[in-house]
Amino acid sequence: MSKSIGRVAYRPVGVLLGIAAGTVAGAIFRQVWKATAGDGEAPNATDEDRGWGEILAAAALQGAIFAVVRAAVDRGGAVGVRRMTGSWPD
């Protein structure tokens, strides 16, 4: 099979996996923030009562979690498409 088949097959899979990755990453972030900060809610960037350090730490943690979950989900999706189509999506 050609590479274009793998690429075409991956597009809808990639969209669904992207949505799932965002949902999973958000849930993981909320749990990690609750466990590490002892606070039920992560700070918003515009939260007047929170300091720069807390806001930037929350943003960095959220970004790292999202990137790891997204990479794992994308890689898993690409492996699945290769198994189904015989070609690696680009």
Side-chain angles (χ1 to χ4, degrees):
M1 290 192 186
S2 71
K3 282 195 164 218
S4 64
I5 292 173
R7 191 176 317 125
V8 170
Y10 185 72
R11 282 187 186 148
V13 171
V15 169
L16 294 175
L17 291 177
I19 293 168
T23 302
V24 169
I28 291 171
F29 170 69
R30 284 188 293 280
Q31 292 301 314
V32 170
W33 184 260
K34 189 187 302 184
T36 58
D39 190 359
E41 294 239 357
N44 235 342
T46 57
D47 191 343
E48 185 176 25
D49 299 327
R50 306 284 184 109
W52 278 91
E54 186 179 13
I55 289 170
L56 296 179
L61 179 63
Q62 186 176 27
I65 289 171
F66 181 80
V68 168
V69 170
R70 180 65 194 235
V73 167
D74 283 348
R75 182 66 179 201
V79 169
V81 166
R82 181 174 63 187
R83 287 182 184 154
M84 289 182 343
T85 67
S87 64
W88 190 263
D90 288 332

